Amino acid sequence: MAESLLITNGTVVTWEPDAELIEKGAVYTEGGQIAEVGKAAELEGRYPGAERIDARGQLIMPGNICAHTHFYGAFARGMAIPGPAPKDFPQILERLWWPLDQALDEEAVRSSALVCLVDAIKHGTTTLIDHHASPNALEGSLDVIADAVDQAGLRAALCYEVTDRYGPESSKASIEENVRFLKAARSRPNVAATFGLHASLTLDEETLAACADAARGLETGFHIHVAEHEADEYDSLNKSGRRVIDRLQAHGILGERTIVAHCVHIDLREAEILRDTRTWVTHQPRSNMNNGVGVADVEGLLRLGVPVCLGNDGFSNNMWAEWKTAYLLHKVWHRDPRRANGMDIVQMAIHNNAALAGMFFPEASPGMLVPGAAADLILVDYHPTTPLSAGNLPWHILFGFEASMVTTTICAGRVLMRDRELLTLDEAAITARSREIVPAVWERYNGIAAQTL
Ligand SMILES: [Zn+2]
């Protein structure tokens, strides 16, 4: 826990309830929380003894939030998938992701998490919601990731994905891992837990019921992929006579603590159920484009009142790249440049992501730059060449910001990167270790993937 810190001489960007810029502003933090926000001259006079960070005219902003990611995805970078190129998303799962998660050992779980946490600090992403799978290094895997998160000094909500694809013993063990970690996370201030489920298409009726039973009394929701590809909907109809969202609702899986990722192929009734149950949806446009699964109707969902958040699904933790992709994708999809307004992107990436992170960390209120919220802050070395105002800020971010402009990252009042120097993680050592262990992971992957051809 950091003592007091005065970040001064910057332009403070707050978003709650509306965007506001404080020129020549400052933020004073104490005990890991934002204590005061205001003009630099006033705060400097009031807190003369505080350790200072001179923002040198940079923007002082709340840290970014990623609503859905997979740390272990880092090990897929540059990996060759054996055989002919997968023709659709179900084949991508069978040939890429499922053999890869089976190839992970404990060291690979730790290493891939650290690689992503370095990336998150460098890109100013201070809260991440991860979805993990490592069936051959299952028990305790969430502790391994949580330790890495604590070492980094970031904030994360973790879960283990329950699936039936590795047999009943493995699904039972993964339910136990969620239950165990939901209890263990209570003593970790910067790590939260939820109950992970892979997707309707790899979960049978008994397992879904067992998960709902196991979660009862633990004050948790679930984190599950929904209708990423139409195969999920057809599988659910075949298995249960219900569409995916109806099926999950029947099992008591939905609600205001549950995250459903993607929702590319849900229908209108499913959207209404999501709204009525206050279930969170996450949108991952880079992943959807890469997998060729289609485009979620996020504008329609937002209009309906569904809280849609922005995640990255294992892509880089540069959330502004996800902003830009969302902004562009819906325009080309509809052939209409008026679609996906900058304020829609802000609604997802700022307001809804902050509300979702606040569900996991109610006392921290991550993503809010207001007194009483956690001091999760970044400095952005952006000096606009055109007028910058609260009203046009989203378009400065969309057209002017680059990930490399993040120079300083602070989480819970602790400086994790200062002037681009990482203070909690040794990037060179983490990178070297990752390159050392990945060849063996890829070799195991190749052996498993070859059997899917
Ligand atoms: Zn995902």
Side-chain angles (χ1 to χ4, degrees), residues 281-292:
V281 170
T282 70
H283 180 44
Q284 290 73 222
R286 284 184 293 181
S287 163
N288 294 160
M289 291 168 76
N290 184 47
N291 290 325

Side-chain angles (χ1 to χ4, degrees), residues 14 46 50 78 80 87 119 128 130 167 172 204 219 223 231-232 240 265 290-291 320 347 363 374 377 387 413 433:
T14 69
R46 209 166 302 156
K87 69 176 170 64
D119 183 56
L128 302 115
D130 187 63
K172 193 161 163 278
D204 65 26
E219 287 178 51
H223 185 179
D232 199 22
S240 68
H265 296 279
N290 184 47
N291 290 325
W320 295 322
Q347 184 64 44
E363 281 156 30
L377 301 162
R433 186 68 191 138

